[in-house]
Amino acid sequence: MKKTVTPLADGRELIYYDAADDTVRDAVDRRPLAPVSTSSQIRHDPLLGDSVAIASHRQGRTYHPPADECPLCPSRDGRLSEIPDDHYDVAVFENRFPSLAGDSGRCEVVCFTSDHHASFADLTEDRAALVLDAWTDRTAELAGLDEVTQVFCFENRGAEIGVTLGHPHGQIYGYPFVTPRTELMMRSARRHREETGRNLFDDVVSREEADGSRVVLSGEHWVAFVPYAAHWPYEVHLHPRRRVPDLRELDEGARTEFPQIYLELLKRFDRIFGPGEPPTPYISAWHQAPFGVPGREDFGLHLELFTIRRTSGKLKFLAGSESGMSVFINDVPPEAAAQRLREVASE
């Protein structure tokens, strides 16, 4: 992998990740951009104990542009975009409309391919491995920032999820605090350790493998299963067999096998609802341990992949119980979801 760091016209950072070591990236951003101005701030909720990012400047962000005006496509034929070069493998840049900025953290955009009409599932295994390298490198870089406590790499896919740019891309958030979901997991892991002397993540994976009814895919280095108490209609958790706290600590075996397992999962997600159905909307989320906090060594890196589509043409809405009380109601039994995902193995 070759990494090239270059500035955009407004001073934001752009990083190219290339498979070929001899790739030259010297294109200059020629857009007349004004400096980025943000109003992001973090406000603490004293009742719930969590935090909310207030980012009013995001109201003016790019919203569903036509394909020929996509800001994530390469700069070609006189049209200038966020990527100054006329082609790229994987590119990462600071978000022009960040939810978190300055002392409140950092937001980045990850472009998986220069092909506007592709999806992550269309990537080759080599390209998916390069994306994993980019996620890992950004985790390492952001871990060194004083304002970042936790790194979250994720992809929102599909208009139903709320995606405003159709180009295949993901995002990376560097939070200045430990996120509520991670705090809950770490609390549960700490209690499990106190009560049993064992690691919670290890025990969850062992239980799922011993049961077998919710396992979707199993490899030498990774195992994917629908969790026993799945919140979403179709939800898969992907764990490395050797528990590590974050992407930086995956060994070569896990890094090599990941593209095979993950691409297969994404292809199966697109087959859940049968032929002729539009691509399945999903959220893919890496859960990594925060930095410099007690209990970090007990956390288990894993990826959670889920869709809000519960059946053909119908979405799972977060209504009264979910939004008002954080109690999910799932219409699809996890065992049935796992069975369906085993049935739709890609050819």
Side-chain angles (χ1 to χ4, degrees), residues 188-212 214-215 223 225 228 239-241 243 298-300:
S188 296
R190 182 168 57 252
R191 183 169 59 247
H192 189 79
R193 173 70 73 183
E194 292 170 352
E195 294 175 353
T196 70
R198 300 191 303 271
N199 179 270
L200 175 61
F201 293 89
D202 293 345
D203 282 0
V204 166
V205 172
S206 295
R207 183 184 71 178
E208 292 296 347
E209 289 203 283
D211 180 283
R214 291 175 295 276
V215 173
V223 59
F225 54 85
Y228 174 76
H239 286 251
R241 293 188 179 279
R243 174 173 49 84
D298 254 352
F299 192 86

PDB file of all heavy atoms in Angstrom, residues 188-212 214-215 223 225 228 239-241 243 298-300:
ATOM      1  N   SER A 188     -21.001  -4.185  30.600  1.00  0.00           N
ATOM      2  CA  SER A 188     -21.403  -5.595  30.623  1.00  0.00           C
ATOM      3  C   SER A 188     -20.183  -6.508  30.693  1.00  0.00           C
ATOM      4  O   SER A 188     -20.188  -7.524  31.409  1.00  0.00           O
ATOM      5  CB  SER A 188     -22.232  -5.924  29.374  1.00  0.00           C
ATOM      6  OG  SER A 188     -23.440  -5.195  29.357  1.00  0.00           O
ATOM      7  N   ALA A 189     -19.122  -6.152  29.952  1.00  0.00           N
ATOM      8  CA  ALA A 189     -17.900  -6.963  29.964  1.00  0.00           C
ATOM      9  C   ALA A 189     -17.248  -6.940  31.342  1.00  0.00           C
ATOM     10  O   ALA A 189     -16.741  -7.973  31.825  1.00  0.00           O
ATOM     11  CB  ALA A 189     -16.930  -6.454  28.903  1.00  0.00           C
ATOM     12  N   ARG A 190     -17.263  -5.779  31.981  1.00  0.00           N
ATOM     13  CA  ARG A 190     -16.674  -5.655  33.308  1.00  0.00           C
ATOM     14  C   ARG A 190     -17.455  -6.504  34.322  1.00  0.00           C
ATOM     15  O   ARG A 190     -16.851  -7.222  35.140  1.00  0.00           O
ATOM     16  CB  ARG A 190     -16.648  -4.187  33.731  1.00  0.00           C
ATOM     17  CG  ARG A 190     -16.001  -3.939  35.082  1.00  0.00           C
ATOM     18  CD  ARG A 190     -15.750  -2.456  35.305  1.00  0.00           C
ATOM     19  NE  ARG A 190     -16.964  -1.655  35.203  1.00  0.00           N
ATOM     20  CZ  ARG A 190     -17.249  -0.823  34.187  1.00  0.00           C
ATOM     21  NH1 ARG A 190     -16.406  -0.691  33.188  1.00  0.00           N
ATOM     22  NH2 ARG A 190     -18.375  -0.117  34.177  1.00  0.00           N
ATOM     23  N   ARG A 191     -18.778  -6.444  34.251  1.00  0.00           N
ATOM     24  CA  ARG A 191     -19.601  -7.232  35.178  1.00  0.00           C
ATOM     25  C   ARG A 191     -19.415  -8.726  34.932  1.00  0.00           C
ATOM     26  O   ARG A 191     -19.310  -9.524  35.879  1.00  0.00           O
ATOM     27  CB  ARG A 191     -21.071  -6.841  35.008  1.00  0.00           C
ATOM     28  CG  ARG A 191     -22.002  -7.558  35.980  1.00  0.00           C
ATOM     29  CD  ARG A 191     -23.381  -6.959  35.978  1.00  0.00           C
ATOM     30  NE  ARG A 191     -23.999  -7.022  34.653  1.00  0.00           N
ATOM     31  CZ  ARG A 191     -24.276  -5.951  33.911  1.00  0.00           C
ATOM     32  NH1 ARG A 191     -23.993  -4.735  34.365  1.00  0.00           N
ATOM     33  NH2 ARG A 191     -24.850  -6.088  32.722  1.00  0.00           N
ATOM     34  N   HIS A 192     -19.327  -9.117  33.673  1.00  0.00           N
ATOM     35  CA  HIS A 192     -19.125 -10.526  33.335  1.00  0.00           C
ATOM     36  C   HIS A 192     -17.784 -11.022  33.860  1.00  0.00           C
ATOM     37  O   HIS A 192     -17.682 -12.139  34.394  1.00  0.00           O
ATOM     38  CB  HIS A 192     -19.199 -10.694  31.813  1.00  0.00           C
ATOM     39  CG  HIS A 192     -19.213 -12.110  31.350  1.00  0.00           C
ATOM     40  ND1 HIS A 192     -20.343 -12.900  31.386  1.00  0.00           N
ATOM     41  CD2 HIS A 192     -18.223 -12.901  30.847  1.00  0.00           C
ATOM     42  CE1 HIS A 192     -20.066 -14.106  30.912  1.00  0.00           C
ATOM     43  NE2 HIS A 192     -18.777 -14.137  30.579  1.00  0.00           N
ATOM     44  N   ARG A 193     -16.758 -10.196  33.743  1.00  0.00           N
ATOM     45  CA  ARG A 193     -15.437 -10.567  34.243  1.00  0.00           C
ATOM     46  C   ARG A 193     -15.467 -10.747  35.760  1.00  0.00           C
ATOM     47  O   ARG A 193     -14.883 -11.686  36.305  1.00  0.00           O
ATOM     48  CB  ARG A 193     -14.416  -9.495  33.852  1.00  0.00           C
ATOM     49  CG  ARG A 193     -13.032  -9.663  34.435  1.00  0.00           C
ATOM     50  CD  ARG A 193     -12.299 -10.835  33.825  1.00  0.00           C
ATOM     51  NE  ARG A 193     -11.866 -10.561  32.463  1.00  0.00           N
ATOM     52  CZ  ARG A 193     -11.257 -11.451  31.699  1.00  0.00           C
ATOM     53  NH1 ARG A 193     -11.032 -12.680  32.176  1.00  0.00           N
ATOM     54  NH2 ARG A 193     -10.889 -11.146  30.455  1.00  0.00           N
ATOM     55  N   GLU A 194     -16.172  -9.841  36.462  1.00  0.00           N
ATOM     56  CA  GLU A 194     -16.252  -9.912  37.917  1.00  0.00           C
ATOM     57  C   GLU A 194     -17.010 -11.160  38.372  1.00  0.00           C
ATOM     58  O   GLU A 194     -16.657 -11.775  39.378  1.00  0.00           O
ATOM     59  CB  GLU A 194     -16.943  -8.658  38.460  1.00  0.00           C
ATOM     60  CG  GLU A 194     -16.116  -7.381  38.284  1.00  0.00           C
ATOM     61  CD  GLU A 194     -16.920  -6.125  38.595  1.00  0.00           C
ATOM     62  OE1 GLU A 194     -18.163  -6.243  38.793  1.00  0.00           O
ATOM     63  OE2 GLU A 194     -16.323  -5.028  38.627  1.00  0.00           O
ATOM     64  N   GLU A 195     -18.060 -11.537  37.611  1.00  0.00           N
ATOM     65  CA  GLU A 195     -18.915 -12.653  38.022  1.00  0.00           C
ATOM     66  C   GLU A 195     -18.368 -14.012  37.616  1.00  0.00           C
ATOM     67  O   GLU A 195     -18.608 -15.013  38.300  1.00  0.00           O
ATOM     68  CB  GLU A 195     -20.315 -12.467  37.425  1.00  0.00           C
ATOM     69  CG  GLU A 195     -21.062 -11.261  37.983  1.00  0.00           C
ATOM     70  CD  GLU A 195     -22.395 -11.014  37.288  1.00  0.00           C
ATOM     71  OE1 GLU A 195     -22.660 -11.709  36.271  1.00  0.00           O
ATOM     72  OE2 GLU A 195     -23.154 -10.138  37.740  1.00  0.00           O
ATOM     73  N   THR A 196     -17.645 -14.069  36.490  1.00  0.00           N
ATOM     74  CA  THR A 196     -17.217 -15.367  35.958  1.00  0.00           C
ATOM     75  C   THR A 196     -15.705 -15.524  35.838  1.00  0.00           C
ATOM     76  O   THR A 196     -15.217 -16.655  35.697  1.00  0.00           O
ATOM     77  CB  THR A 196     -17.830 -15.601  34.566  1.00  0.00           C
ATOM     78  OG1 THR A 196     -17.217 -14.706  33.619  1.00  0.00           O
ATOM     79  CG2 THR A 196     -19.334 -15.376  34.570  1.00  0.00           C
ATOM     80  N   GLY A 197     -14.986 -14.399  35.825  1.00  0.00           N
ATOM     81  CA  GLY A 197     -13.559 -14.459  35.580  1.00  0.00           C
ATOM     82  C   GLY A 197     -13.198 -14.633  34.120  1.00  0.00           C
ATOM     83  O   GLY A 197     -12.026 -14.783  33.766  1.00  0.00           O
ATOM     84  N   ARG A 198     -14.218 -14.592  33.232  1.00  0.00           N
ATOM     85  CA  ARG A 198     -13.983 -14.804  31.804  1.00  0.00           C
ATOM     86  C   ARG A 198     -14.310 -13.535  31.021  1.00  0.00           C
ATOM     87  O   ARG A 198     -14.888 -12.584  31.543  1.00  0.00           O
ATOM     88  CB  ARG A 198     -14.835 -15.967  31.275  1.00  0.00           C
ATOM     89  CG  ARG A 198     -14.567 -17.308  31.966  1.00  0.00           C
ATOM     90  CD  ARG A 198     -15.252 -18.445  31.218  1.00  0.00           C
ATOM     91  NE  ARG A 198     -16.688 -18.217  31.094  1.00  0.00           N
ATOM     92  CZ  ARG A 198     -17.590 -18.611  31.994  1.00  0.00           C
ATOM     93  NH1 ARG A 198     -17.193 -19.227  33.102  1.00  0.00           N
ATOM     94  NH2 ARG A 198     -18.880 -18.384  31.802  1.00  0.00           N
ATOM     95  N   ASN A 199     -13.945 -13.560  29.730  1.00  0.00           N
ATOM     96  CA  ASN A 199     -14.221 -12.432  28.856  1.00  0.00           C
ATOM     97  C   ASN A 199     -15.587 -12.589  28.200  1.00  0.00           C
ATOM     98  O   ASN A 199     -15.904 -13.651  27.634  1.00  0.00           O
ATOM     99  CB  ASN A 199     -13.131 -12.319  27.781  1.00  0.00           C
ATOM    100  CG  ASN A 199     -13.386 -11.162  26.835  1.00  0.00           C
ATOM    101  OD1 ASN A 199     -14.045 -11.305  25.814  1.00  0.00           O
ATOM    102  ND2 ASN A 199     -12.859  -9.995  27.195  1.00  0.00           N
ATOM    103  N   LEU A 200     -16.395 -11.542  28.231  1.00  0.00           N
ATOM    104  CA  LEU A 200     -17.749 -11.598  27.703  1.00  0.00           C
ATOM    105  C   LEU A 200     -17.766 -11.830  26.190  1.00  0.00           C
ATOM    106  O   LEU A 200     -18.550 -12.643  25.687  1.00  0.00           O
ATOM    107  CB  LEU A 200     -18.491 -10.298  28.044  1.00  0.00           C
ATOM    108  CG  LEU A 200     -19.892 -10.143  27.456  1.00  0.00           C
ATOM    109  CD1 LEU A 200     -20.815 -11.255  27.945  1.00  0.00           C
ATOM    110  CD2 LEU A 200     -20.475  -8.775  27.805  1.00  0.00           C
ATOM    111  N   PHE A 201     -16.923 -11.118  25.439  1.00  0.00           N
ATOM    112  CA  PHE A 201     -16.928 -11.265  23.985  1.00  0.00           C
ATOM    113  C   PHE A 201     -16.543 -12.693  23.582  1.00  0.00           C
ATOM    114  O   PHE A 201     -17.157 -13.282  22.683  1.00  0.00           O
ATOM    115  CB  PHE A 201     -15.978 -10.245  23.346  1.00  0.00           C
ATOM    116  CG  PHE A 201     -16.434  -8.828  23.491  1.00  0.00           C
ATOM    117  CD1 PHE A 201     -16.069  -8.074  24.599  1.00  0.00           C
ATOM    118  CD2 PHE A 201     -17.244  -8.245  22.528  1.00  0.00           C
ATOM    119  CE1 PHE A 201     -16.496  -6.762  24.733  1.00  0.00           C
ATOM    120  CE2 PHE A 201     -17.673  -6.930  22.649  1.00  0.00           C
ATOM    121  CZ  PHE A 201     -17.301  -6.188  23.766  1.00  0.00           C
ATOM    122  N   ASP A 202     -15.556 -13.258  24.267  1.00  0.00           N
ATOM    123  CA  ASP A 202     -15.168 -14.641  23.983  1.00  0.00           C
ATOM    124  C   ASP A 202     -16.321 -15.593  24.257  1.00  0.00           C
ATOM    125  O   ASP A 202     -16.584 -16.524  23.477  1.00  0.00           O
ATOM    126  CB  ASP A 202     -13.967 -15.048  24.843  1.00  0.00           C
ATOM    127  CG  ASP A 202     -12.696 -14.295  24.481  1.00  0.00           C
ATOM    128  OD1 ASP A 202     -12.662 -13.674  23.401  1.00  0.00           O
ATOM    129  OD2 ASP A 202     -11.748 -14.319  25.298  1.00  0.00           O
ATOM    130  N   ASP A 203     -17.015 -15.366  25.364  1.00  0.00           N
ATOM    131  CA  ASP A 203     -18.114 -16.262  25.730  1.00  0.00           C
ATOM    132  C   ASP A 203     -19.289 -16.145  24.768  1.00  0.00           C
ATOM    133  O   ASP A 203     -19.944 -17.148  24.449  1.00  0.00           O
ATOM    134  CB  ASP A 203     -18.569 -15.981  27.160  1.00  0.00           C
ATOM    135  CG  ASP A 203     -17.632 -16.590  28.199  1.00  0.00           C
ATOM    136  OD1 ASP A 203     -16.636 -17.224  27.791  1.00  0.00           O
ATOM    137  OD2 ASP A 203     -17.900 -16.426  29.407  1.00  0.00           O
ATOM    138  N   VAL A 204     -19.570 -14.928  24.287  1.00  0.00           N
ATOM    139  CA  VAL A 204     -20.666 -14.755  23.325  1.00  0.00           C
ATOM    140  C   VAL A 204     -20.364 -15.509  22.036  1.00  0.00           C
ATOM    141  O   VAL A 204     -21.215 -16.231  21.493  1.00  0.00           O
ATOM    142  CB  VAL A 204     -20.900 -13.253  23.042  1.00  0.00           C
ATOM    143  CG1 VAL A 204     -21.780 -13.064  21.799  1.00  0.00           C
ATOM    144  CG2 VAL A 204     -21.551 -12.578  24.244  1.00  0.00           C
ATOM    145  N   VAL A 205     -19.144 -15.366  21.529  1.00  0.00           N
ATOM    146  CA  VAL A 205     -18.767 -16.060  20.289  1.00  0.00           C
ATOM    147  C   VAL A 205     -18.816 -17.570  20.503  1.00  0.00           C
ATOM    148  O   VAL A 205     -19.344 -18.313  19.659  1.00  0.00           O
ATOM    149  CB  VAL A 205     -17.365 -15.614  19.830  1.00  0.00           C
ATOM    150  CG1 VAL A 205     -16.888 -16.474  18.662  1.00  0.00           C
ATOM    151  CG2 VAL A 205     -17.388 -14.144  19.415  1.00  0.00           C
ATOM    152  N   SER A 206     -18.300 -18.041  21.622  1.00  0.00           N
ATOM    153  CA  SER A 206     -18.308 -19.482  21.905  1.00  0.00           C
ATOM    154  C   SER A 206     -19.727 -20.017  21.994  1.00  0.00           C
ATOM    155  O   SER A 206     -20.027 -21.115  21.487  1.00  0.00           O
ATOM    156  CB  SER A 206     -17.560 -19.764  23.209  1.00  0.00           C
ATOM    157  OG  SER A 206     -16.195 -19.436  23.098  1.00  0.00           O
ATOM    158  N   ARG A 207     -20.616 -19.255  22.629  1.00  0.00           N
ATOM    159  CA  ARG A 207     -22.007 -19.699  22.756  1.00  0.00           C
ATOM    160  C   ARG A 207     -22.684 -19.799  21.399  1.00  0.00           C
ATOM    161  O   ARG A 207     -23.403 -20.766  21.113  1.00  0.00           O
ATOM    162  CB  ARG A 207     -22.791 -18.732  23.655  1.00  0.00           C
ATOM    163  CG  ARG A 207     -24.240 -19.180  23.903  1.00  0.00           C
ATOM    164  CD  ARG A 207     -25.011 -18.155  24.706  1.00  0.00           C
ATOM    165  NE  ARG A 207     -25.299 -16.955  23.931  1.00  0.00           N
ATOM    166  CZ  ARG A 207     -25.998 -15.924  24.386  1.00  0.00           C
ATOM    167  NH1 ARG A 207     -26.461 -15.942  25.632  1.00  0.00           N
ATOM    168  NH2 ARG A 207     -26.237 -14.868  23.627  1.00  0.00           N
ATOM    169  N   GLU A 208     -22.455 -18.807  20.540  1.00  0.00           N
ATOM    170  CA  GLU A 208     -23.078 -18.830  19.224  1.00  0.00           C
ATOM    171  C   GLU A 208     -22.556 -19.997  18.386  1.00  0.00           C
ATOM    172  O   GLU A 208     -23.324 -20.659  17.677  1.00  0.00           O
ATOM    173  CB  GLU A 208     -22.839 -17.505  18.497  1.00  0.00           C
ATOM    174  CG  GLU A 208     -23.567 -16.309  19.108  1.00  0.00           C
ATOM    175  CD  GLU A 208     -25.080 -16.425  19.042  1.00  0.00           C
ATOM    176  OE1 GLU A 208     -25.596 -17.310  18.307  1.00  0.00           O
ATOM    177  OE2 GLU A 208     -25.762 -15.654  19.728  1.00  0.00           O
ATOM    178  N   GLU A 209     -21.258 -20.260  18.476  1.00  0.00           N
ATOM    179  CA  GLU A 209     -20.716 -21.375  17.703  1.00  0.00           C
ATOM    180  C   GLU A 209     -21.211 -22.717  18.236  1.00  0.00           C
ATOM    181  O   GLU A 209     -21.490 -23.636  17.454  1.00  0.00           O
ATOM    182  CB  GLU A 209     -19.194 -21.321  17.712  1.00  0.00           C
ATOM    183  CG  GLU A 209     -18.633 -20.177  16.878  1.00  0.00           C
ATOM    184  CD  GLU A 209     -17.204 -20.450  16.430  1.00  0.00           C
ATOM    185  OE1 GLU A 209     -16.305 -20.300  17.273  1.00  0.00           O
ATOM    186  OE2 GLU A 209     -17.009 -20.796  15.254  1.00  0.00           O
ATOM    187  N   ALA A 210     -21.331 -22.840  19.552  1.00  0.00           N
ATOM    188  CA  ALA A 210     -21.813 -24.087  20.132  1.00  0.00           C
ATOM    189  C   ALA A 210     -23.267 -24.344  19.769  1.00  0.00           C
ATOM    190  O   ALA A 210     -23.660 -25.489  19.488  1.00  0.00           O
ATOM    191  CB  ALA A 210     -21.649 -24.045  21.659  1.00  0.00           C
ATOM    192  N   ASP A 211     -24.075 -23.271  19.755  1.00  0.00           N
ATOM    193  CA  ASP A 211     -25.488 -23.400  19.379  1.00  0.00           C
ATOM    194  C   ASP A 211     -25.626 -23.674  17.885  1.00  0.00           C
ATOM    195  O   ASP A 211     -26.302 -24.608  17.451  1.00  0.00           O
ATOM    196  CB  ASP A 211     -26.243 -22.133  19.780  1.00  0.00           C
ATOM    197  CG  ASP A 211     -27.719 -22.183  19.425  1.00  0.00           C
ATOM    198  OD1 ASP A 211     -28.048 -21.989  18.238  1.00  0.00           O
ATOM    199  OD2 ASP A 211     -28.544 -22.407  20.331  1.00  0.00           O
ATOM    200  N   GLY A 212     -24.983 -22.825  17.072  1.00  0.00           N
ATOM    201  CA  GLY A 212     -24.947 -23.035  15.628  1.00  0.00           C
ATOM    202  C   GLY A 212     -26.141 -22.546  14.842  1.00  0.00           C
ATOM    203  O   GLY A 212     -26.040 -22.324  13.632  1.00  0.00           O
ATOM    204  N   ARG A 214     -27.638 -19.748  14.704  1.00  0.00           N
ATOM    205  CA  ARG A 214     -27.601 -18.366  14.223  1.00  0.00           C
ATOM    206  C   ARG A 214     -26.298 -18.033  13.483  1.00  0.00           C
ATOM    207  O   ARG A 214     -26.106 -16.903  13.062  1.00  0.00           O
ATOM    208  CB  ARG A 214     -27.799 -17.403  15.407  1.00  0.00           C
ATOM    209  CG  ARG A 214     -29.221 -17.450  15.983  1.00  0.00           C
ATOM    210  CD  ARG A 214     -29.360 -16.584  17.223  1.00  0.00           C
ATOM    211  NE  ARG A 214     -28.530 -17.086  18.322  1.00  0.00           N
ATOM    212  CZ  ARG A 214     -28.901 -18.052  19.153  1.00  0.00           C
ATOM    213  NH1 ARG A 214     -30.093 -18.627  19.030  1.00  0.00           N
ATOM    214  NH2 ARG A 214     -28.086 -18.452  20.129  1.00  0.00           N
ATOM    215  N   VAL A 215     -25.411 -19.029  13.321  1.00  0.00           N
ATOM    216  CA  VAL A 215     -24.167 -18.806  12.584  1.00  0.00           C
ATOM    217  C   VAL A 215     -24.466 -18.724  11.094  1.00  0.00           C
ATOM    218  O   VAL A 215     -25.177 -19.567  10.535  1.00  0.00           O
ATOM    219  CB  VAL A 215     -23.145 -19.920  12.866  1.00  0.00           C
ATOM    220  CG1 VAL A 215     -21.922 -19.768  11.967  1.00  0.00           C
ATOM    221  CG2 VAL A 215     -22.733 -19.893  14.332  1.00  0.00           C
ATOM    222  N   VAL A 223     -15.852 -15.329  12.386  1.00  0.00           N
ATOM    223  CA  VAL A 223     -17.140 -15.990  12.475  1.00  0.00           C
ATOM    224  C   VAL A 223     -18.234 -14.920  12.450  1.00  0.00           C
ATOM    225  O   VAL A 223     -18.102 -13.870  13.095  1.00  0.00           O
ATOM    226  CB  VAL A 223     -17.252 -16.872  13.742  1.00  0.00           C
ATOM    227  CG1 VAL A 223     -17.066 -16.048  15.016  1.00  0.00           C
ATOM    228  CG2 VAL A 223     -18.581 -17.608  13.765  1.00  0.00           C
ATOM    229  N   PHE A 225     -22.446 -14.200  12.807  1.00  0.00           N
ATOM    230  CA  PHE A 225     -23.680 -14.778  13.313  1.00  0.00           C
ATOM    231  C   PHE A 225     -24.720 -13.686  13.553  1.00  0.00           C
ATOM    232  O   PHE A 225     -24.389 -12.514  13.736  1.00  0.00           O
ATOM    233  CB  PHE A 225     -23.431 -15.538  14.626  1.00  0.00           C
ATOM    234  CG  PHE A 225     -22.753 -14.732  15.698  1.00  0.00           C
ATOM    235  CD1 PHE A 225     -23.486 -13.916  16.559  1.00  0.00           C
ATOM    236  CD2 PHE A 225     -21.370 -14.789  15.855  1.00  0.00           C
ATOM    237  CE1 PHE A 225     -22.852 -13.165  17.553  1.00  0.00           C
ATOM    238  CE2 PHE A 225     -20.736 -14.044  16.840  1.00  0.00           C
ATOM    239  CZ  PHE A 225     -21.478 -13.236  17.691  1.00  0.00           C
ATOM    240  N   TYR A 228     -28.232 -13.476  19.390  1.00  0.00           N
ATOM    241  CA  TYR A 228     -29.379 -14.068  20.080  1.00  0.00           C
ATOM    242  C   TYR A 228     -30.491 -13.053  20.289  1.00  0.00           C
ATOM    243  O   TYR A 228     -31.682 -13.359  20.128  1.00  0.00           O
ATOM    244  CB  TYR A 228     -28.896 -14.630  21.412  1.00  0.00           C
ATOM    245  CG  TYR A 228     -29.991 -15.149  22.315  1.00  0.00           C
ATOM    246  CD1 TYR A 228     -30.609 -16.374  22.056  1.00  0.00           C
ATOM    247  CD2 TYR A 228     -30.393 -14.431  23.439  1.00  0.00           C
ATOM    248  CE1 TYR A 228     -31.603 -16.865  22.883  1.00  0.00           C
ATOM    249  CE2 TYR A 228     -31.386 -14.912  24.275  1.00  0.00           C
ATOM    250  CZ  TYR A 228     -31.986 -16.120  23.999  1.00  0.00           C
ATOM    251  OH  TYR A 228     -32.977 -16.603  24.823  1.00  0.00           O
ATOM    252  N   HIS A 239     -17.007 -11.309  14.064  1.00  0.00           N
ATOM    253  CA  HIS A 239     -15.948 -11.245  15.077  1.00  0.00           C
ATOM    254  C   HIS A 239     -14.698 -11.970  14.593  1.00  0.00           C
ATOM    255  O   HIS A 239     -14.795 -13.068  14.022  1.00  0.00           O
ATOM    256  CB  HIS A 239     -16.400 -11.931  16.372  1.00  0.00           C
ATOM    257  CG  HIS A 239     -17.384 -11.164  17.180  1.00  0.00           C
ATOM    258  ND1 HIS A 239     -17.058 -10.561  18.388  1.00  0.00           N
ATOM    259  CD2 HIS A 239     -18.698 -10.903  16.975  1.00  0.00           C
ATOM    260  CE1 HIS A 239     -18.141  -9.971  18.890  1.00  0.00           C
ATOM    261  NE2 HIS A 239     -19.146 -10.158  18.053  1.00  0.00           N
ATOM    262  N   PRO A 240     -13.527 -11.405  14.853  1.00  0.00           N
ATOM    263  CA  PRO A 240     -12.305 -12.183  14.640  1.00  0.00           C
ATOM    264  C   PRO A 240     -12.192 -13.246  15.729  1.00  0.00           C
ATOM    265  O   PRO A 240     -12.570 -13.006  16.877  1.00  0.00           O
ATOM    266  CB  PRO A 240     -11.188 -11.139  14.759  1.00  0.00           C
ATOM    267  CG  PRO A 240     -11.751 -10.092  15.666  1.00  0.00           C
ATOM    268  CD  PRO A 240     -13.228 -10.048  15.374  1.00  0.00           C
ATOM    269  N   ARG A 241     -11.702 -14.419  15.363  1.00  0.00           N
ATOM    270  CA  ARG A 241     -11.580 -15.493  16.367  1.00  0.00           C
ATOM    271  C   ARG A 241     -10.546 -15.147  17.436  1.00  0.00           C
ATOM    272  O   ARG A 241     -10.693 -15.550  18.595  1.00  0.00           O
ATOM    273  CB  ARG A 241     -11.214 -16.802  15.677  1.00  0.00           C
ATOM    274  CG  ARG A 241     -12.326 -17.345  14.785  1.00  0.00           C
ATOM    275  CD  ARG A 241     -12.004 -18.739  14.281  1.00  0.00           C
ATOM    276  NE  ARG A 241     -13.066 -19.249  13.456  1.00  0.00           N
ATOM    277  CZ  ARG A 241     -14.196 -19.795  13.920  1.00  0.00           C
ATOM    278  NH1 ARG A 241     -14.380 -19.882  15.228  1.00  0.00           N
ATOM    279  NH2 ARG A 241     -15.119 -20.233  13.084  1.00  0.00           N
ATOM    280  N   ARG A 243      -9.496 -12.439  19.685  1.00  0.00           N
ATOM    281  CA  ARG A 243     -10.037 -11.161  20.137  1.00  0.00           C
ATOM    282  C   ARG A 243      -8.947 -10.097  20.198  1.00  0.00           C
ATOM    283  O   ARG A 243      -7.879 -10.308  20.759  1.00  0.00           O
ATOM    284  CB  ARG A 243     -10.689 -11.325  21.507  1.00  0.00           C
ATOM    285  CG  ARG A 243     -11.169 -10.023  22.138  1.00  0.00           C
ATOM    286  CD  ARG A 243     -11.949 -10.292  23.406  1.00  0.00           C
ATOM    287  NE  ARG A 243     -11.264 -11.202  24.304  1.00  0.00           N
ATOM    288  CZ  ARG A 243     -10.328 -10.854  25.178  1.00  0.00           C
ATOM    289  NH1 ARG A 243      -9.955  -9.574  25.266  1.00  0.00           N
ATOM    290  NH2 ARG A 243      -9.767 -11.757  25.973  1.00  0.00           N
ATOM    291  N   ASP A 298     -10.326  -5.728  27.607  1.00  0.00           N
ATOM    292  CA  ASP A 298     -11.396  -6.729  27.602  1.00  0.00           C
ATOM    293  C   ASP A 298     -12.372  -6.527  26.444  1.00  0.00           C
ATOM    294  O   ASP A 298     -13.269  -7.350  26.245  1.00  0.00           O
ATOM    295  CB  ASP A 298     -12.172  -6.677  28.930  1.00  0.00           C
ATOM    296  CG  ASP A 298     -11.835  -7.849  29.842  1.00  0.00           C
ATOM    297  OD1 ASP A 298     -11.128  -8.761  29.387  1.00  0.00           O
ATOM    298  OD2 ASP A 298     -12.279  -7.834  31.004  1.00  0.00           O
ATOM    299  N   PHE A 299     -12.230  -5.431  25.696  1.00  0.00           N
ATOM    300  CA  PHE A 299     -13.163  -5.158  24.612  1.00  0.00           C
ATOM    301  C   PHE A 299     -12.820  -6.019  23.396  1.00  0.00           C
ATOM    302  O   PHE A 299     -11.654  -6.299  23.133  1.00  0.00           O
ATOM    303  CB  PHE A 299     -13.117  -3.678  24.214  1.00  0.00           C
ATOM    304  CG  PHE A 299     -14.249  -3.261  23.314  1.00  0.00           C
ATOM    305  CD1 PHE A 299     -15.461  -2.868  23.859  1.00  0.00           C
ATOM    306  CD2 PHE A 299     -14.111  -3.271  21.933  1.00  0.00           C
ATOM    307  CE1 PHE A 299     -16.513  -2.493  23.035  1.00  0.00           C
ATOM    308  CE2 PHE A 299     -15.152  -2.899  21.109  1.00  0.00           C
ATOM    309  CZ  PHE A 299     -16.368  -2.503  21.660  1.00  0.00           C
ATOM    310  N   GLY A 300     -13.834  -6.408  22.646  1.00  0.00           N
ATOM    311  CA  GLY A 300     -13.639  -7.216  21.451  1.00  0.00           C
ATOM    312  C   GLY A 300     -14.046  -6.470  20.192  1.00  0.00           C
ATOM    313  O   GLY A 300     -15.233  -6.180  19.985  1.00  0.00           O
TER     314      GLY A 300
END
